[in-house]
Amino acid sequence: MIRLNPEQLVFVTERHLATLTTLRPDGTPHVVPVAFTWDADAGVARITTNRSSFKARHAVPGPDGGEPRAALCQVAGGRWITLEGTIAVSEDADEIADAVARYARRYRQLGPNPDRIVLRVTVDKVMASTYMAS
């Protein structure tokens, strides 16, 4: 499991947006701005989104059954961090509630949304600006 160092951990808890890159079925990148939260205990980044979003569609296993991958990249001035790993959809009510609570602490309170799901990125690679490198 990935553990972020203290500088990286501070950076992913500050109020910044990131880009999420997933792959379309034809292999081309789909890059969108997202808000995310970091779960240090699980080594997981979570993004809340609508069930029908393209990013959610890209987070399901392909015809070969392989786990889809994603990259989150947060940039602020000269600081940056990229979190890469497998991405999966969660419709678990407890995980959605936890993700919404984490989102509220980092960004703002979300309103009710019956179509909300969670995209879970299980991080296995971290890249960062030099001063934050492990």
Side-chain angles (χ1 to χ4, degrees):
M1 180 177 62
I2 291 289
R3 296 269 183 214
L4 300 184
N5 68 35
E7 292 83 10
Q8 294 167 345
L9 188 56
V10 166
F11 189 49
V12 299
T13 57
E14 294 172 354
R15 193 177 189 277
H16 300 291
L17 295 179
T19 57
L20 173 68
T21 302
T22 56
L23 296 178
R24 296 180 180 100
D26 68 2
T28 59
H30 177 256
V31 184
V32 293
V34 295
F36 76 95
T37 60
W38 175 250
D39 181 341
D41 293 332
V44 168
R46 290 189 181 88
I47 300 119
T48 62
T49 190
N50 287 325
R51 181 176 284 106
S52 62
S53 70
F54 281 106
K55 55 188 166 285
R57 292 182 212 171
H58 300 157
V60 296
D64 63 355
E67 289 184 292
R69 293 190 58 83
L72 275 165
C73 183
Q74 178 174 292
V75 178
R79 300 182 302 159
W80 63 272
I81 190 167
T82 299
L83 307 172
E84 293 183 25
T86 57
I87 187 168
V89 172
S90 174
E91 297 189 35
D92 178 77
D94 291 338
E95 186 165 14
I96 293 169
D98 181 58
V100 167
R102 290 172 185 270
Y103 184 99
R105 286 192 295 273
R106 185 170 185 197
Y107 298 102
R108 63 177 174 80
Q109 187 66 46
L110 292 171
N113 179 352
D115 291 325
R116 181 174 290 124
I117 60 164
V118 170
L119 301 180
R120 182 186 330 107
V121 179
T122 302
V123 176
D124 56 32
K125 182 176 183 180
V126 177
M127 296 179 292
S129 47
T130 305
Y131 91 94
M132 283 194 289
S134 311

